Amino acid sequence: MKLKLLELTDDRARILFEGEGKTYINALAAELINDPEVDVAQHRQVFLFADPELVVTTIGGRAPLLAITDAAKRLSGVAGELLRQVEALDTA
């Protein structure tokens, strides 16, 4: 996954996910919204064939890149748990 930082301020980040589909970005945006210090987490894609962009704004002094990092870690944990459960089904 190749990321391109398009904009970064104290309370806003715009990141382009080069070569990625929208599925992961949608899941990441949904997880970001669970953070009470995230104001906006939006997936944008101008054209169907264009690279998706994630826009995040925060409140309360939360750094947007930190919010994104924390949300990605939470998604990773959920995916790991799902993988363990599926593997357990296969051995049952």
Side-chain angles (χ1 to χ4, degrees):
M1 182 178 304
K2 185 175 178 185
L3 305 179
K4 184 175 182 179
L5 187 60
L6 301 175
E7 177 185 352
L8 180 61
T9 65
D10 290 342
D11 64 350
R12 179 180 164 93
R14 286 179 47 228
I15 301 173
L16 189 70
F17 288 72
E18 292 184 359
E20 292 298 315
K22 61 185 176 184
T23 304
Y24 179 74
I25 288 71
N26 283 338
L28 184 57
E31 184 59 39
L32 276 159
I33 291 299
N34 292 327
D35 186 330
E37 292 182 297
V38 170
D39 185 38
V40 173
Q42 179 185 31
H43 157 258
R44 294 194 317 189
Q45 194 166 5
V46 179
F47 302 105
L48 186 59
F49 54 84
D51 291 326
E53 181 181 321
L54 178 67
V55 179
V56 177
T57 61
T58 58
I59 54 177
R62 178 114 160 113
L65 290 182
L66 181 58
I68 294 167
T69 301
D70 289 347
K73 287 178 183 177
R74 289 192 303 272
L75 278 179
S76 178
V78 169
E81 179 58 29
L82 175 63
L83 181 59
R84 284 187 288 281
Q85 289 182 24
V86 169
E87 288 172 343
L89 289 174
D90 189 39
T91 60

